[in-house]
Amino acid sequence: MLPEFALLCLLLATLLSLCQGALPWLSARLGASHLANRLAWLCVLLSGGALLLLALSFAHNDLTLSYVAQHSNSRLPLPFKLAAVWGGHEGSLLFFIFALQLWSVRLGALHQPLVTRARAQSIMGWLGLVLLLFLLIYSNPFARQFPPPFEGRDLNPMLQDVALILHPPLLYLGYVGFAASFALAVTALWERRLDSTLVQTWRPLARSAWGWLTAGIALGAWWAYHELGWGGWWFWDPVENASLLPWLLGTALLHALAAFERRSIYGHAILLLALLTFAMSLLGTFMVRAGVMSSVHAFAIDSERGHSLLILLGAVLGGGLLLYGWRGQLTFERVRFGWRSRETALACAIGLPLLAAAVVLIGTFYPLLYAFWGWGAISVGPPYFNALFVPLVLLAMALLIWLPWLCWQRGDHPLAPWTGLLRSLLLAVPPALWLNLQHPMPLAPLPALASLLAMWLAVVTLYALWRDGRYHLTMHLAHLAVAIAVLGASQLAGYTQQRDQLLSVGEHTLIGDYQLELTDISAELGPNYSAERYHLIVRRDGRELGRTWAEKRFYSVRTMQMNEVGLLRLARGDLYVVPGDKQGQRIALRIAYKPGASWLWLGGALLALAGLLPACRRRRSAAQEAACAH
């Protein structure tokens, strides 16, 4: 009876979403505006209840549900049964809808006029209605099958990882968070009102959505690094790019909101970016589910459902742009500022992510369009993205280094920024040089330049944090996180060492300054797999630094073999071991030394934290304010 009760919850949520979308546009005398928030809360309870009932169906291994039978197994550990709830198309879409309703409730708590809040929530209601209808018609996770199979197919072994318990929900919270920005943009266009009071409540909303998306992307990169066994953390896979696109546009949106809140500029950019960011979020949803591109992250799905998602994407993007063309004639006070000002820097901070998004969008979809027009098959891989995207990252870092020395409208002295920049550069050069020369490999020019810029940015940001105190804390934390992440990525890209070695028990090999000895090979039996485990000891100069193990696992239900990476985190970097084929009593191991990996994950965590922390509004001192006065 649980699935039937869940279906009833979804049907009621569909009806209430229709009311939530329609009632706020009716006469205020009916009290329709007051009902919007109450309807949003009811939709949260109903969709959350359906999600909970689906989780209980997985916990009870209810194989009469097709979705449970396809993604679970009686021997699957309980935490991975939770991951299986959103490990397939139907369950992930249900969580997507639940997250949408949560953000709709969040809109109801904004300090805005009641009518404005109700109209924004009505937009979320229409979006929820469309997605609920799609779920019930095409993607019902509670569809029964009789007779049920004796055993389930099990969750895809690649998804049986702790990171995949949290990675999809975090991504969806970010994706759907930008639906709230979309709703506010549509409301602002309808009311022809975009002022500082609206932006002050809008900006924390957009920043938290950006923070959730950042956390999801960082966790996904960590999963790819330690689970897939290819040794990297970003492959420019189409579905990876699909999450990067709304992140880049959301970054531009945040800078536009910051500029408008302080100087009432770039208002039209805010509206367009809010529309495009949510459109890119829906594009990511389409790419994961439409089956148009090959990816380890994609769901298998028929083309009919993919076409429906494409129609939804077109309706949202086309409708938003038509509304902008119809009611986007907003007028703002003319603001003058010099080229060496914070306003100009923020304009660049809006333009650079847009340019980077265009690079990613073209590289992702060009092969698809090339094949669509019958020109044949073509592949666009990492060389294209690295050649165009990496210089934009370096340019963005140079901009962030320059930003703390700039004031609003104009600087107080033309030489002040250059003095600070020179001093901070002198502080950054020695550690950057030491970091790049400690490796036995030759100096790599591009990673060395990236490391120098990262160190320079870290010095400048720490100075700005000391100067400003808690004022702009989240901004400084985000810029510091970018410096740390780029520092780690540059070290990984330029100085990773790798070798393949055949070892038997008792033999050892060297990589860099480290000696790895294979001490034992043991058979292991997991809850739903069997494995062969390879135990290793790591030494340096005869002193033991630690122990690790790698595994070759065989999942009998899926008849899949997976490699579990052996990772030993050291002060300078990671030792990374991937097992290969066995030849007699010897096992082929791919061993790598990856410097700076921990810095990459630390930078990603701090970047997400900067988005999720509440903004600190404490004013700076009078002297600091006067220094950056008009």
Side-chain angles (χ1 to χ4, degrees), residues 480-527:
L480 181 62
V482 169
I484 294 173
V486 171
L487 188 64
S490 64
Q491 294 294 297
L492 277 170
Y495 303 108
T496 292
Q497 303 173 55
Q498 182 173 304
R499 65 176 302 174
D500 295 324
Q501 185 74 43
L502 277 171
L503 291 179
S504 59
V505 175
E507 294 183 336
H508 67 267
T509 186
L510 294 174
I511 184 164
D513 298 334
Y514 303 99
Q515 181 191 77
L516 282 84
E517 180 184 351
L518 180 64
T519 59
D520 188 25
I521 300 177
S522 63
E524 304 290 334
L525 187 63

Side-chain angles (χ1 to χ4, degrees), residues 237-408:
D237 178 272
V239 175
E240 291 176 343
N241 295 347
S243 65
L244 184 60
L245 285 169
W247 187 88
L248 289 168
L249 291 174
T251 302
L253 174 62
L254 286 177
H255 288 98
L257 288 166
F260 191 94
E261 184 177 353
R262 182 62 186 260
R263 297 284 288 158
S264 298
I265 54 177
Y266 311 138
H268 290 285
I270 290 174
L271 298 173
L272 282 173
L273 285 169
L275 300 177
L276 293 175
T277 303
F278 181 56
M280 289 301 102
S281 298
L282 288 180
L283 181 65
T285 304
F286 164 75
M287 289 174 62
V288 172
R289 294 167 170 81
V292 296
M293 293 182 176
S294 176
S295 169
V296 297
H297 309 273
F299 299 121
I301 186 172
D302 61 74
S303 59
E304 184 180 2
R305 289 188 282 186
H307 293 157
S308 300
L309 288 171
L310 189 60
I311 292 171
L312 173 61
L313 170 62
V316 168
L317 181 58
L321 293 178
L322 284 174
L323 182 63
Y324 179 82
W326 176 34
R327 301 184 67 88
Q329 294 78 26
L330 285 78
T331 57
F332 303 100
E333 181 183 353
R334 185 177 178 85
V335 177
R336 295 182 179 273
F337 52 86
W339 70 270
R340 191 174 60 82
S341 65
R342 188 159 288 196
E343 290 91 338
T344 302
L346 285 171
C348 296
I350 295 169
L352 280 175
L354 287 176
L355 185 56
V359 167
V360 175
L361 188 67
I362 292 170
T364 303
F365 283 93
Y366 180 72
L368 185 64
L369 295 176
Y370 194 87
F372 177 78
W373 291 109
W375 296 339
I378 192 173
S379 175
V380 175
Y384 161 83
F385 292 104
N386 292 337
L388 295 179
F389 193 87
V390 172
L392 292 176
V393 173
L394 299 181
L395 189 58
M397 293 186 66
L399 176 66
L400 295 179
I401 291 169
W402 177 263
L403 182 64
W405 310 103
L406 299 176
C407 292
W408 294 104

Side-chain angles (χ1 to χ4, degrees), residues 1 16-17 47 67 115 149 169 171-172 182 210 252 308 315 319 329 387 419 444 454 480 553 557 607 609:
M1 289 297 294
L16 293 178
S17 294
S47 58
Y67 182 67
V115 174
L171 274 184
Y172 296 149
F182 173 82
W210 181 87
S308 300
Q329 294 78 26
T419 304
L480 181 62
R553 292 182 178 178
V557 177
L607 199 60
L609 183 63

Side-chain angles (χ1 to χ4, degrees), residues 136-212:
L136 292 170
I137 296 172
Y138 294 109
S139 309
N140 182 9
F142 300 102
R144 294 277 196 180
Q145 60 176 1
F146 292 103
F150 177 73
E151 188 57 278
R153 288 192 63 218
D154 205 0
L155 182 65
N156 186 334
M158 286 193 298
L159 305 182
Q160 295 185 33
D161 183 84
V162 64
L164 266 295
I165 299 175
L166 297 175
H167 166 63
L170 293 176
L171 274 184
Y172 296 149
L173 284 171
Y175 283 157
V176 179
F178 287 118
S181 289
F182 173 82
L184 286 174
V186 170
T187 303
L189 285 168
W190 185 262
E191 297 180 350
R192 288 182 173 168
R193 179 182 73 91
L194 183 65
D195 52 31
S196 59
T197 58
L198 178 60
V199 169
Q200 284 174 2
T201 57
W202 186 342
R203 188 180 170 196
L205 204 71
R207 191 178 67 248
S208 60
W210 181 87
W212 290 119

Side-chain angles (χ1 to χ4, degrees), residues 45-68:
L45 294 175
L46 290 170
S47 58
L51 189 66
L52 177 61
L53 291 173
L54 182 61
L56 289 175
S57 297
F58 271 95
H60 296 154
N61 204 41
D62 185 359
L63 298 181
T64 63
L65 294 184
S66 299
Y67 182 67
V68 174

Side-chain angles (χ1 to χ4, degrees), residues 14-24 39:
T14 304
L15 178 61
L16 293 178
S17 294
L18 175 61
C19 297
Q20 180 185 340
L23 286 179
L39 291 171

